[in-house]
mmCIF file of all heavy atoms in Angstrom:
data_model
loop_
_atom_site.group_PDB
_atom_site.id
_atom_site.type_symbol
_atom_site.label_atom_id
_atom_site.label_comp_id
_atom_site.label_asym_id
_atom_site.label_seq_id
_atom_site.Cartn_x
_atom_site.Cartn_y
_atom_site.Cartn_z
ATOM 1 N N ALA A 14 54.095 -33.451 25.128
ATOM 2 C CA ALA A 14 53.740 -32.453 24.109
ATOM 3 C C ALA A 14 54.980 -31.754 23.563
ATOM 4 O O ALA A 14 55.088 -31.513 22.349
ATOM 5 C CB ALA A 14 52.772 -31.432 24.705
ATOM 6 N N ASN A 15 55.932 -31.426 24.427
ATOM 7 C CA ASN A 15 57.152 -30.747 23.986
ATOM 8 C C ASN A 15 57.959 -31.621 23.036
ATOM 9 O O ASN A 15 58.497 -31.131 22.027
ATOM 10 C CB ASN A 15 58.005 -30.368 25.196
ATOM 11 C CG ASN A 15 57.404 -29.229 26.000
ATOM 12 O OD1 ASN A 15 56.551 -28.482 25.511
ATOM 13 N ND2 ASN A 15 57.831 -29.086 27.248
ATOM 14 N N GLU A 16 58.065 -32.899 23.343
ATOM 15 C CA GLU A 16 58.825 -33.809 22.480
ATOM 16 C C GLU A 16 58.156 -33.942 21.115
ATOM 17 O O GLU A 16 58.835 -34.045 20.082
ATOM 18 C CB GLU A 16 58.942 -35.188 23.150
ATOM 19 C CG GLU A 16 59.782 -35.205 24.414
ATOM 20 C CD GLU A 16 61.220 -34.784 24.164
ATOM 21 O OE1 GLU A 16 61.837 -35.317 23.222
ATOM 22 O OE2 GLU A 16 61.719 -33.918 24.903
ATOM 23 N N TYR A 17 56.841 -33.931 21.111
ATOM 24 C CA TYR A 17 56.089 -34.066 19.864
ATOM 25 C C TYR A 17 56.205 -32.800 19.019
ATOM 26 O O TYR A 17 56.504 -32.860 17.815
ATOM 27 C CB TYR A 17 54.625 -34.353 20.194
ATOM 28 C CG TYR A 17 53.709 -34.444 18.983
ATOM 29 C CD1 TYR A 17 53.811 -35.500 18.081
ATOM 30 C CD2 TYR A 17 52.723 -33.477 18.760
ATOM 31 C CE1 TYR A 17 52.967 -35.589 16.981
ATOM 32 C CE2 TYR A 17 51.869 -33.560 17.669
ATOM 33 C CZ TYR A 17 51.994 -34.624 16.782
ATOM 34 O OH TYR A 17 51.159 -34.702 15.695
ATOM 35 N N ASN A 18 55.998 -31.663 19.625
ATOM 36 C CA ASN A 18 55.947 -30.406 18.868
ATOM 37 C C ASN A 18 57.320 -29.842 18.513
ATOM 38 O O ASN A 18 57.502 -29.257 17.440
ATOM 39 C CB ASN A 18 55.153 -29.361 19.662
ATOM 40 C CG ASN A 18 53.681 -29.708 19.767
ATOM 41 O OD1 ASN A 18 53.035 -29.997 18.766
ATOM 42 N ND2 ASN A 18 53.146 -29.706 20.978
ATOM 43 N N LYS A 19 58.294 -30.011 19.396
ATOM 44 C CA LYS A 19 59.611 -29.413 19.173
ATOM 45 C C LYS A 19 60.576 -30.342 18.436
ATOM 46 O O LYS A 19 61.465 -29.879 17.721
ATOM 47 C CB LYS A 19 60.214 -28.980 20.505
ATOM 48 C CG LYS A 19 59.434 -27.865 21.198
ATOM 49 C CD LYS A 19 60.072 -27.470 22.524
ATOM 50 C CE LYS A 19 59.287 -26.349 23.199
ATOM 51 N NZ LYS A 19 59.891 -25.964 24.512
ATOM 52 N N LYS A 20 60.410 -31.650 18.641
ATOM 53 C CA LYS A 20 61.335 -32.610 18.030
ATOM 54 C C LYS A 20 60.677 -33.515 16.999
ATOM 55 O O LYS A 20 61.370 -34.249 16.291
ATOM 56 C CB LYS A 20 61.990 -33.474 19.108
ATOM 57 C CG LYS A 20 62.877 -32.707 20.082
ATOM 58 C CD LYS A 20 63.536 -33.684 21.050
ATOM 59 C CE LYS A 20 64.437 -32.985 22.049
ATOM 60 N NZ LYS A 20 65.053 -33.967 22.994
ATOM 61 N N GLY A 21 59.345 -33.511 16.940
ATOM 62 C CA GLY A 21 58.665 -34.388 15.999
ATOM 63 C C GLY A 21 58.733 -35.849 16.372
ATOM 64 O O GLY A 21 58.718 -36.723 15.504
ATOM 65 N N ARG A 22 58.786 -36.124 17.670
ATOM 66 C CA ARG A 22 58.820 -37.503 18.147
ATOM 67 C C ARG A 22 57.389 -37.990 18.380
ATOM 68 O O ARG A 22 56.549 -37.270 18.903
ATOM 69 C CB ARG A 22 59.648 -37.621 19.433
ATOM 70 C CG ARG A 22 61.112 -37.210 19.246
ATOM 71 C CD ARG A 22 61.877 -37.305 20.566
ATOM 72 N NE ARG A 22 61.858 -38.681 21.055
ATOM 73 C CZ ARG A 22 61.627 -39.004 22.331
ATOM 74 N NH1 ARG A 22 61.363 -38.061 23.231
ATOM 75 N NH2 ARG A 22 61.635 -40.262 22.702
ATOM 76 N N TRP A 23 57.135 -39.235 17.993
ATOM 77 C CA TRP A 23 55.779 -39.779 18.017
ATOM 78 C C TRP A 23 55.614 -40.835 19.101
ATOM 79 O O TRP A 23 56.446 -41.732 19.248
ATOM 80 C CB TRP A 23 55.447 -40.409 16.661
ATOM 81 C CG TRP A 23 55.372 -39.429 15.534
ATOM 82 C CD1 TRP A 23 56.408 -38.784 14.925
ATOM 83 C CD2 TRP A 23 54.187 -38.965 14.890
ATOM 84 N NE1 TRP A 23 55.947 -37.958 13.938
ATOM 85 C CE2 TRP A 23 54.588 -38.042 13.880
ATOM 86 C CE3 TRP A 23 52.826 -39.247 15.032
ATOM 87 C CZ2 TRP A 23 53.673 -37.412 13.040
ATOM 88 C CZ3 TRP A 23 51.919 -38.620 14.198
ATOM 89 C CH2 TRP A 23 52.345 -37.707 13.215
ATOM 90 N N LEU A 24 54.507 -40.732 19.837
ATOM 91 C CA LEU A 24 54.090 -41.749 20.802
ATOM 92 C C LEU A 24 52.708 -42.230 20.378
ATOM 93 O O LEU A 24 51.739 -41.465 20.396
ATOM 94 C CB LEU A 24 54.041 -41.166 22.220
ATOM 95 C CG LEU A 24 53.449 -42.074 23.314
ATOM 96 C CD1 LEU A 24 54.277 -43.352 23.464
ATOM 97 C CD2 LEU A 24 53.376 -41.324 24.657
ATOM 98 N N LEU A 25 52.610 -43.490 19.953
ATOM 99 C CA LEU A 25 51.369 -44.055 19.437
ATOM 100 C C LEU A 25 50.931 -45.238 20.293
ATOM 101 O O LEU A 25 51.741 -46.117 20.610
ATOM 102 C CB LEU A 25 51.548 -44.518 17.991
ATOM 103 C CG LEU A 25 52.017 -43.462 16.977
ATOM 104 C CD1 LEU A 25 52.220 -44.108 15.608
ATOM 105 C CD2 LEU A 25 51.023 -42.308 16.888
ATOM 106 N N ILE A 26 49.660 -45.246 20.674
ATOM 107 C CA ILE A 26 49.101 -46.314 21.501
ATOM 108 C C ILE A 26 47.952 -46.970 20.744
ATOM 109 O O ILE A 26 47.110 -46.291 20.155
ATOM 110 C CB ILE A 26 48.597 -45.767 22.856
ATOM 111 C CG1 ILE A 26 49.755 -45.145 23.645
ATOM 112 C CG2 ILE A 26 47.918 -46.884 23.670
ATOM 113 C CD1 ILE A 26 50.878 -46.093 23.999
ATOM 114 N N GLY A 27 47.905 -48.297 20.795
ATOM 115 C CA GLY A 27 46.872 -49.035 20.090
ATOM 116 C C GLY A 27 45.786 -49.568 21.011
ATOM 117 O O GLY A 27 46.072 -50.107 22.083
ATOM 118 N N THR A 28 44.526 -49.376 20.605
ATOM 119 C CA THR A 28 43.385 -49.998 21.267
ATOM 120 C C THR A 28 42.555 -50.708 20.206
ATOM 121 O O THR A 28 42.837 -50.611 19.009
ATOM 122 C CB THR A 28 42.502 -48.956 21.988
ATOM 123 O OG1 THR A 28 41.947 -48.051 21.012
ATOM 124 C CG2 THR A 28 43.302 -48.166 23.015
ATOM 125 N N THR A 29 41.519 -51.409 20.643
ATOM 126 C CA THR A 29 40.601 -52.067 19.718
ATOM 127 C C THR A 29 39.193 -51.528 19.919
ATOM 128 O O THR A 29 38.652 -51.596 21.031
ATOM 129 C CB THR A 29 40.590 -53.591 19.935
ATOM 130 O OG1 THR A 29 41.901 -54.121 19.693
ATOM 131 C CG2 THR A 29 39.607 -54.265 18.981
ATOM 132 N N ASN A 30 38.613 -50.958 18.871
ATOM 133 C CA ASN A 30 37.203 -50.570 18.884
ATOM 134 C C ASN A 30 36.409 -51.852 18.671
ATOM 135 O O ASN A 30 36.306 -52.352 17.553
ATOM 136 C CB ASN A 30 36.922 -49.555 17.778
ATOM 137 C CG ASN A 30 35.450 -49.174 17.687
ATOM 138 O OD1 ASN A 30 34.583 -49.807 18.298
ATOM 139 N ND2 ASN A 30 35.163 -48.141 16.916
ATOM 140 N N ILE A 31 35.880 -52.382 19.745
ATOM 141 C CA ILE A 31 35.262 -53.702 19.653
ATOM 142 C C ILE A 31 33.898 -53.644 18.974
ATOM 143 O O ILE A 31 33.394 -54.655 18.482
ATOM 144 C CB ILE A 31 35.170 -54.352 21.051
ATOM 145 C CG1 ILE A 31 35.105 -55.872 20.925
ATOM 146 C CG2 ILE A 31 34.028 -53.789 21.863
ATOM 147 C CD1 ILE A 31 35.350 -56.621 22.207
ATOM 148 N N ASP A 32 33.277 -52.454 18.926
ATOM 149 C CA ASP A 32 32.036 -52.296 18.158
ATOM 150 C C ASP A 32 32.313 -52.513 16.671
ATOM 151 O O ASP A 32 31.602 -53.250 15.987
ATOM 152 C CB ASP A 32 31.445 -50.895 18.353
ATOM 153 C CG ASP A 32 30.965 -50.645 19.769
ATOM 154 O OD1 ASP A 32 30.362 -51.558 20.350
ATOM 155 O OD2 ASP A 32 31.188 -49.536 20.288
ATOM 156 N N ALA A 33 33.342 -51.839 16.184
ATOM 157 C CA ALA A 33 33.689 -51.914 14.758
ATOM 158 C C ALA A 33 34.582 -53.101 14.445
ATOM 159 O O ALA A 33 34.727 -53.486 13.277
ATOM 160 C CB ALA A 33 34.375 -50.621 14.323
ATOM 161 N N GLY A 34 35.196 -53.679 15.482
ATOM 162 C CA GLY A 34 36.100 -54.804 15.260
ATOM 163 C C GLY A 34 37.376 -54.390 14.553
ATOM 164 O O GLY A 34 37.936 -55.168 13.770
ATOM 165 N N THR A 35 37.850 -53.167 14.840
ATOM 166 C CA THR A 35 39.019 -52.642 14.134
ATOM 167 C C THR A 35 40.029 -52.039 15.107
ATOM 168 O O THR A 35 39.663 -51.551 16.183
ATOM 169 C CB THR A 35 38.614 -51.544 13.134
ATOM 170 O OG1 THR A 35 37.916 -50.492 13.832
ATOM 171 C CG2 THR A 35 37.705 -52.109 12.059
ATOM 172 N N PRO A 36 41.314 -52.045 14.723
ATOM 173 C CA PRO A 36 42.332 -51.397 15.549
ATOM 174 C C PRO A 36 42.265 -49.878 15.398
ATOM 175 O O PRO A 36 41.898 -49.361 14.342
ATOM 176 C CB PRO A 36 43.642 -51.950 14.972
ATOM 177 C CG PRO A 36 43.320 -52.259 13.543
ATOM 178 C CD PRO A 36 41.884 -52.703 13.527
ATOM 179 N N VAL A 37 42.625 -49.191 16.464
ATOM 180 C CA VAL A 37 42.697 -47.730 16.462
ATOM 181 C C VAL A 37 44.047 -47.328 17.031
ATOM 182 O O VAL A 37 44.481 -47.854 18.058
ATOM 183 C CB VAL A 37 41.568 -47.101 17.307
ATOM 184 C CG1 VAL A 37 41.707 -45.582 17.356
ATOM 185 C CG2 VAL A 37 40.200 -47.485 16.755
ATOM 186 N N ILE A 38 44.728 -46.407 16.355
ATOM 187 C CA ILE A 38 46.004 -45.883 16.841
ATOM 188 C C ILE A 38 45.794 -44.437 17.275
ATOM 189 O O ILE A 38 45.272 -43.619 16.515
ATOM 190 C CB ILE A 38 47.093 -45.963 15.758
ATOM 191 C CG1 ILE A 38 47.429 -47.423 15.452
ATOM 192 C CG2 ILE A 38 48.348 -45.222 16.194
ATOM 193 C CD1 ILE A 38 48.451 -47.606 14.355
ATOM 194 N N TRP A 39 46.193 -44.138 18.503
ATOM 195 C CA TRP A 39 46.012 -42.809 19.073
ATOM 196 C C TRP A 39 47.331 -42.042 19.059
ATOM 197 O O TRP A 39 48.366 -42.566 19.488
ATOM 198 C CB TRP A 39 45.501 -42.906 20.502
ATOM 199 C CG TRP A 39 44.188 -43.616 20.656
ATOM 200 C CD1 TRP A 39 43.989 -44.974 20.712
ATOM 201 C CD2 TRP A 39 42.890 -43.017 20.781
ATOM 202 N NE1 TRP A 39 42.658 -45.249 20.872
ATOM 203 C CE2 TRP A 39 41.951 -44.066 20.918
ATOM 204 C CE3 TRP A 39 42.433 -41.694 20.813
ATOM 205 C CZ2 TRP A 39 40.585 -43.839 21.075
ATOM 206 C CZ3 TRP A 39 41.073 -41.474 20.971
ATOM 207 C CH2 TRP A 39 40.165 -42.519 21.095
ATOM 208 N N ASN A 40 47.274 -40.805 18.606
ATOM 209 C CA ASN A 40 48.439 -39.917 18.596
ATOM 210 C C ASN A 40 48.514 -39.215 19.945
ATOM 211 O O ASN A 40 47.888 -38.175 20.167
ATOM 212 C CB ASN A 40 48.311 -38.903 17.460
ATOM 213 C CG ASN A 40 49.531 -38.011 17.317
ATOM 214 O OD1 ASN A 40 50.351 -37.902 18.226
ATOM 215 N ND2 ASN A 40 49.649 -37.351 16.181
ATOM 216 N N MET A 41 49.295 -39.785 20.852
ATOM 217 C CA MET A 41 49.331 -39.293 22.230
ATOM 218 C C MET A 41 50.018 -37.935 22.343
ATOM 219 O O MET A 41 49.703 -37.134 23.237
ATOM 220 C CB MET A 41 50.022 -40.320 23.128
ATOM 221 C CG MET A 41 49.431 -41.718 23.047
ATOM 222 S SD MET A 41 47.681 -41.800 23.498
ATOM 223 C CE MET A 41 47.811 -41.914 25.286
ATOM 224 N N GLY A 42 50.953 -37.652 21.445
ATOM 225 C CA GLY A 42 51.606 -36.349 21.440
ATOM 226 C C GLY A 42 50.631 -35.237 21.110
ATOM 227 O O GLY A 42 50.657 -34.156 21.715
ATOM 228 N N GLN A 43 49.761 -35.498 20.158
ATOM 229 C CA GLN A 43 48.768 -34.505 19.777
ATOM 230 C C GLN A 43 47.749 -34.299 20.896
ATOM 231 O O GLN A 43 47.330 -33.176 21.175
ATOM 232 C CB GLN A 43 48.055 -34.931 18.492
ATOM 233 C CG GLN A 43 47.111 -33.874 17.941
ATOM 234 C CD GLN A 43 46.654 -34.204 16.532
ATOM 235 O OE1 GLN A 43 47.313 -34.946 15.823
ATOM 236 N NE2 GLN A 43 45.526 -33.651 16.140
ATOM 237 N N ILE A 44 47.344 -35.390 21.539
ATOM 238 C CA ILE A 44 46.417 -35.288 22.668
ATOM 239 C C ILE A 44 47.050 -34.499 23.802
ATOM 240 O O ILE A 44 46.425 -33.618 24.404
ATOM 241 C CB ILE A 44 46.006 -36.693 23.141
ATOM 242 C CG1 ILE A 44 45.179 -37.396 22.064
ATOM 243 C CG2 ILE A 44 45.228 -36.624 24.454
ATOM 244 C CD1 ILE A 44 44.937 -38.862 22.316
ATOM 245 N N ALA A 45 48.324 -34.784 24.090
ATOM 246 C CA ALA A 45 49.031 -34.071 25.157
ATOM 247 C C ALA A 45 49.148 -32.589 24.854
ATOM 248 O O ALA A 45 49.133 -31.750 25.758
ATOM 249 C CB ALA A 45 50.416 -34.684 25.364
#
């Protein structure tokens, strides 16, 4: 969270929503 909020560094993780058949990118810094 500190790296995201203080430095603007991004950590993005990809999963697949298999119901929709589409990729999803999660903003892990925002979640943290």
